[in-house]
Amino acid sequence: MSVMAANDRYEVRARNNAILKAFAWLEEIAVFWLILHFSGAVLALVLTDHTNLDYENPLLRLLWYPSYLIIAALIIKNLPKFLRMVVFNPLIILCVVWCGLSFFWSISPDITMRRVVAIVMTTSFGLVLAARYSWYELIQRLAIAYAFMMIGSYVFAIALPEYGQMQFIHEGTWRGMWLEKNSFGAQMSKAVLLFMCAFAMNPKRGWIWVPMGVLAFIAILMCTSKTALLAALMMVGGMVLVRVLRANPVLRIPVMYFAIVGSVALGFGLAFMPEEMFAIIGKDPSLTGRTQIWDGLMRAIGEHPWLGYGYGTFWMDPLGPSYWVRFELDWGVPTAHNGWIETWLSVGLIGVGIFAVTYLITLILGLDRLARGGVENYWVLLSTILFGFLSMSESTILQQNHLDWVIFVATTAKMFSFAPAYWRDGRP
């Protein structure tokens, strides 16, 4: 009888373990889908009418609701860890709360409310990633997802050029699985960093990550985005620099000194010799028309400098405040092409200030981990710098349904919650 009881208990444990493994795999598939969806790859490219980019396919909006339900399920499944992330990240929460409060002064409260729900779910996904995964697990999963998107982009660009290559403006340049070549380039610059960090964390998989990094760099060259190319080169140089600083702590002070002096010199050059400075990287001083957009937007900001127009509202109404910017430039400008200006338009200078404090503390924590952190330092510091760099030319800050914001939140949340360092030798 006792033998039969033991066999029954064994069968129950085996069945329970099988069920747990199935749920674990289901969770991994859900996370992979969410990363893909938030990246903006594939769906927008396939479901958008390329002859009328101003038309928004209703299906694109409807597809977000299943993803939000998945995020809610992940929150419930990881609720204690998720709540810990919320408690340890008051600044990120404050950023989102301020977006919600803008409902009370928004020029279009219904749009603000809908967009606030989206930014809450987007931020929650970042917090779930931070709660669910260690540094190693997080970076490996992001790297795998980006490898899939990169390989898919090669397939689109080579086998399906009508989708994977630009057709009207910049004809023939690669855009991969994204709607626009600069978005593709920005994501590939992040892929370069992820593949290098994944390799640093697990050198035994160098046979995977090194070729992936080379392919990502080639993809950047094929999309001809100079911003993405500069970002990728910065990340390669940053990996070397972080390695040197970790191995030689005595060099940290002089290197930081030269970094500050170099930043000041760069700023001086951009202010007083813009044509010469931009000529070095083959850019005109207007940054391909971006400064003209910014001039018009700064005048719009002057109308609502402190509180903004309400989260997510500035560009929605074609006859609203964005009308005069588009009228002056004579084309349908879709975004500010600058995360800081975009945030200023949405939630005012106060909102910009809250995020600026969040970003500065994140950067300081990243620098501080150089002295005591593990192999995750490469990702922690360089991804924060990359986010700040790309935000100067793309609207990434506090953007709903945007993977860049998800990743920034996940990285910041783990730092604020003092997540354990990762060491290849297994030390605690």
mmCIF file of all heavy atoms in Angstrom, residues 215 404 410:
data_model
loop_
_atom_site.group_PDB
_atom_site.id
_atom_site.type_symbol
_atom_site.label_atom_id
_atom_site.label_comp_id
_atom_site.label_asym_id
_atom_site.label_seq_id
_atom_site.Cartn_x
_atom_site.Cartn_y
_atom_site.Cartn_z
ATOM 1 N N LEU A 215 26.463 41.315 -37.912
ATOM 2 C CA LEU A 215 25.304 41.463 -38.788
ATOM 3 C C LEU A 215 24.492 42.715 -38.431
ATOM 4 O O LEU A 215 23.983 43.412 -39.318
ATOM 5 C CB LEU A 215 24.418 40.227 -38.699
ATOM 6 C CG LEU A 215 24.959 38.960 -39.354
ATOM 7 C CD1 LEU A 215 24.052 37.770 -39.049
ATOM 8 C CD2 LEU A 215 25.097 39.141 -40.858
ATOM 9 N N ASP A 404 11.749 51.197 -26.330
ATOM 10 C CA ASP A 404 12.845 51.942 -25.712
ATOM 11 C C ASP A 404 12.485 52.359 -24.288
ATOM 12 O O ASP A 404 13.323 52.287 -23.379
ATOM 13 C CB ASP A 404 13.188 53.180 -26.546
ATOM 14 C CG ASP A 404 13.968 52.828 -27.795
ATOM 15 O OD1 ASP A 404 14.144 51.628 -28.065
ATOM 16 O OD2 ASP A 404 14.396 53.754 -28.515
ATOM 17 N N ALA A 410 12.901 49.051 -17.225
ATOM 18 C CA ALA A 410 13.391 47.794 -16.656
ATOM 19 C C ALA A 410 14.792 47.959 -16.082
ATOM 20 O O ALA A 410 15.094 47.476 -14.974
ATOM 21 C CB ALA A 410 13.379 46.698 -17.727
#
